[in-house]
Amino acid sequence: MTTLTEPGPKQRITSIDIVRGLIMLLMAIDHTRDFFINSSAGNPVNMATTTPIYFFTRWVTHFCAPNFVFLSGMSAYLAGRRRSPGEFRTFLVKRGLWLIVFEVVFLTFALTLDPLFHVIVLQVIWVIGFSMILLALLSRGSLTVIGILGAVIFFGHDILDYLSLPKTGAANFLVTMFFTAFGSVFPLSKTRILLDIYAVIPWTGVMLLGYVFGSMYTPSFDAQRRQRILRIAGLAMIALFLVFRYFNIYGDPAPWSVQRIPAISMLSFLNASKYPPSLLYLCMTIGPALVALSFLENVKSKFTSVLIVYGNVPFFYYILHIYLIRALDIIIFFMSGYHTSQIVTPGQPFNFQPPAFGFGLGGVYLVWLFIITILYLPCRWYSKYKRTHHQWWLSYL
């Protein structure tokens, strides 16, 4: 029998925590907008109706999911260094299953506020969990094998845009869940549906590459070489995005086009496809993050110290910010004069979201600032707690 040992001390990488902290703050903008923007604002990526500031409120949050998954891959590699290979695989499977259960039960409830679970939502935590399980299976192989597989998925999954895929039956369900999910709805019963927003495999490719890049953060890896590789890789991704996007060559199923004014044409150019994440979307978002990582290793300031607090406890922050947003939603719902008869809106899976509810963009940003400010002290407390305590469950929260 294998004897389970306590993991060694966790290695904190300041630059990773800074980037991850910024991602967590930006993520809250998107979720605050989801629940507090007035429906009259319309779709922020609809080129016919959007404005630059409204578009960029959505666009800047595109950096969150890809880098959240990529940095999860990096963290997985660093976690593996503190465990034996067998313990590491077991940890990945257990954590992956926990994340899937958490998405299905606790996050679905937070999003819908429906105790009967008429809609089950699968988002980024679901794909991180499933990707960890796949990484556990692949971790028996070498970094080279994992890197090649990750690169093939990352650069090649858009080939599916040119193929005829199953439209019905079990084959359609599997292809959608693993490759092409785009707010896809699957009936589970007469009264329950599954809403899949994130397809597994494209995001798994992101995690696998993050896992390989994590190997550059070992003590024996030369820091200047690491920074150079990060910078070159990041700039190459940005260049690939600019060239392929300009000529609409490959890597995104929705080509950009000239719009009514040059400013909106630029927005169309930047409006890469997130569901499922296209190659150009991933290059546009991960490329700048890699460049940032290359420059942030020795940066210290009051602002980066604040970001590190959030970046130290990403999952803890993720849970708190979703539940805080929805708690504020309920409070503002009743303060706005709505009644219990208006909690459920026909055709709307998220409760406490009646028509015309919410604020303009300025109000959304004020709510966002309130949320991230309120969460600073709990995150700082939990970050200190994790540094001074070593219970097994801390690795899962």
Side-chain angles (χ1 to χ4, degrees), residues 39-91:
S39 58
S40 63
N43 186 342
V45 296
N46 182 342
M47 295 300 113
T49 60
T50 193
T51 62
I53 188 171
Y54 190 34
F55 174 87
F56 279 106
T57 298
R58 170 57 173 157
W59 182 80
V60 73
T61 65
H62 279 333
F63 288 82
C64 300
N67 289 298
F68 196 29
V69 176
F70 188 86
L71 295 180
S72 295
M74 280 188 168
S75 297
Y77 181 87
L78 297 174
R81 287 180 51 79
R82 300 182 291 119
R83 296 171 171 85
S84 71
E87 290 169 345
F88 177 53
R89 287 191 289 273
T90 299
F91 167 73

Side-chain angles (χ1 to χ4, degrees), residues 151-165 179-180 202 249-253 276-280:
V152 168
I153 296 172
F154 189 95
F155 292 100
H157 73 272
D158 283 290
I159 291 174
L160 294 177
D161 295 336
Y162 303 94
L163 302 179
S164 178
L165 302 175
F179 293 99
T180 65
I249 298 173
Y250 166 81
D252 199 287
S278 69
L279 168 62
L280 299 190

Side-chain angles (χ1 to χ4, degrees), residues 317-364:
Y317 169 91
Y318 192 96
I319 298 167
L320 288 187
H321 99 281
I322 288 289
Y323 273 89
L324 179 56
I325 286 171
R326 294 303 266 144
L328 290 174
D329 186 2
I330 296 172
I331 293 170
I332 294 172
F333 174 89
F334 287 112
M335 287 180 63
S336 299
Y338 292 99
H339 304 286
T340 54
S341 62
Q342 296 169 288
I343 290 175
V344 178
T345 302
Q348 164 65 273
F350 308 118
N351 291 338
F352 295 92
Q353 291 284 291
F357 175 81
F359 311 112
L361 201 55
V364 169

Side-chain angles (χ1 to χ4, degrees), residues 366-382:
L366 287 176
V367 175
W368 168 68
L369 287 172
F370 176 78
I371 289 166
I372 63 175
T373 301
I374 288 294
L375 292 182
Y376 178 77
L377 289 180
C379 288
R380 188 175 69 175
W381 167 81
Y382 187 62

Side-chain angles (χ1 to χ4, degrees), residues 239-251 256 279-280:
L240 188 150
F241 165 74
L242 292 173
V243 174
F244 277 42
R245 186 64 169 167
Y246 182 79
F247 292 105
N248 285 325
I249 298 173
Y250 166 81
W256 76 282
L279 168 62
L280 299 190

Side-chain angles (χ1 to χ4, degrees), residues 6-7 10 79 82-83 91 95 98-99 132 315 382 386 390-397:
E6 286 292 325
K10 188 171 184 178
R82 300 182 291 119
R83 296 171 171 85
F91 167 73
R95 183 167 172 80
W98 158 239
L99 291 178
M132 283 186 172
F315 189 49
Y382 187 62
K386 289 188 74 173
H390 304 285
Q391 294 95 326
W392 65 269
W393 55 268
L394 291 173
S395 295
Y396 295 86
L397 182 59

